[in-house]
Amino acid sequence: MEVEKAGCTPIAIDFGIVKVKEDLTDKVLDEISKKLQKYGLGLINTFKSIIVEKIKTIVIRYIHSADILP
């Protein structure tokens, strides 16, 4: 896992959200971000961005699980 390679200890992983034991410095966040970009992924580290991503995930799950769409 890229987070561990950056020297962090994950304590919880859930649907693409990783909580780590350590406080993350800008240097570590930049390192993790660069590693994730290789896979077409990125960091979401502002409260507003996190809420938007959660809403998008809920909508996508609803669409995929709905039997009949209006």
Side-chain angles (χ1 to χ4, degrees):
M1 173 186 286
E2 299 303 331
V3 173
E4 292 172 315
K5 290 178 186 176
C8 300
T9 308
I11 55 174
I13 302 171
D14 185 36
F15 294 109
I17 298 171
V18 179
K19 294 181 183 179
V20 295
K21 185 176 181 180
E22 301 81 10
D23 289 331
L24 300 177
T25 64
D26 289 338
K27 181 181 176 182
V28 171
L29 286 172
D30 188 50
E31 182 181 339
I32 294 170
S33 180
K34 286 178 183 176
K35 290 181 180 197
L36 291 175
Q37 286 176 357
K38 293 178 186 177
Y39 302 103
L41 303 171
L43 290 177
I44 301 172
N45 56 1
T46 65
F47 182 72
K48 184 178 177 181
S49 297
I50 292 169
I51 296 297
V52 168
E53 286 301 315
K54 286 185 177 187
I55 291 168
K56 285 169 46 177
T57 301
I58 290 168
V59 170
I60 290 168
R61 285 185 189 160
Y62 175 76
I63 289 170
H64 287 287
S65 66
D67 292 333
I68 301 172
L69 294 175

